[in-house]
Amino acid sequence: MGNPSVSAQLPFYILLLSPICLFLFPSWLYGESKETVFERFWQAFKKALNNSQNLPEETLHQSEDLNRIIAFIQDNKPYLKENFSLHDISRSLNIPHVRVTNCFNKQLMISFPVYRNKLRIDYATSLLFHGEHLSTSIEGIASKAGFKSKSAFYIAFKAEHGMTPIEWIKENL
């Protein structure tokens, strides 16, 4: 048996090409406008894509989340607890962990640990300013500010103020 003739394969090719013609050349087949079905599909797809990316609404949710997070932190001062984490914020405010993380990283443009340490150092600095170091050790102040260790406190303090707590006391008090 040899190759089937071209005329025997012609119905197969017509059957194969007809759906493509319907899709790409409706005006040729049906006398429609020059806009093809594909172009109409593409326009509808782009419109649906634009509608699904409703950025102002997403930004509004992020802004509301950030306002709730900041108010929670200011009112409750949870950063004074040693084990304070993003999970605590997420659990307390019933905001998904990812959204809480995005509030810090994308809106405040600061990581949560750096933000938490800044709040703790600000609190410790206010304790030092009000003379707490006269009745409490530096390690005690570190503990009151939420730090797990004196060394972590010193590292964070130096990162914030450019000097150790003892140097800060000598220079500012």
Side-chain angles (χ1 to χ4, degrees):
M1 298 202 147
N3 288 339
S5 68
V6 175
S7 62
Q9 292 179 350
L10 189 59
F12 171 74
Y13 288 120
I14 291 173
L15 187 62
L16 183 65
L17 290 175
S18 60
I20 295 170
C21 289
L22 291 172
F23 188 67
L24 296 176
F25 307 109
S27 61
W28 178 62
L29 293 173
Y30 301 112
E32 289 186 10
S33 68
K34 292 182 179 181
E35 183 180 44
T36 65
V37 173
F38 176 76
E39 289 169 335
R40 282 185 277 154
F41 168 79
W42 184 247
Q43 294 299 325
F45 176 75
K46 288 194 311 189
K47 184 177 178 183
L49 188 63
N50 288 338
N51 288 342
S52 70
Q53 295 175 346
N54 198 349
L55 295 178
E57 185 177 323
E58 181 181 327
T59 304
L60 179 64
H61 286 301
Q62 288 176 349
S63 189
E64 289 173 4
D65 290 345
L66 183 61
N67 290 339
R68 288 179 59 207
I69 291 167
I70 299 295
F72 171 74
I73 289 172
Q74 287 177 346
D75 294 344
N76 299 312
K77 297 188 183 352
Y79 54 87
L80 299 178
K81 298 175 190 165
E82 279 185 10
N83 296 322
F84 175 58
S85 69
L86 281 173
H87 296 290
D88 297 327
I89 296 172
S90 178
R91 222 176 295 118
S92 297
L93 299 177
N94 198 24
I95 300 172
H97 185 269
V98 173
R99 283 182 19 204
V100 174
T101 303
N102 285 340
C103 284
F104 285 101
N105 294 341
K106 293 182 180 176
Q107 289 187 283
L108 291 177
M109 301 228 194
I110 188 170
S111 70
F112 174 73
V114 171
Y115 183 79
R116 177 185 59 203
N117 280 349
K118 181 178 177 7
L119 293 173
R120 288 174 173 175
I121 293 301
D122 289 348
Y123 182 77
T125 303
S126 73
L127 290 177
L128 292 172
F129 188 74
H130 290 97
E132 188 73 22
H133 63 287
L134 300 174
S135 61
T136 308
S137 67
I138 297 297
E139 192 170 355
I141 292 172
S143 179
K144 284 182 179 183
F147 287 95
K148 290 183 180 181
S149 68
K150 182 179 171 183
S151 62
F153 174 64
Y154 267 78
I155 291 168
F157 197 95
K158 191 158 188 164
E160 184 69 24
H161 292 290
M163 60 184 81
T164 66
I166 302 296
E167 293 169 340
W168 187 90
I169 291 168
K170 288 177 183 176
E171 191 172 302
N172 294 289
L173 301 178

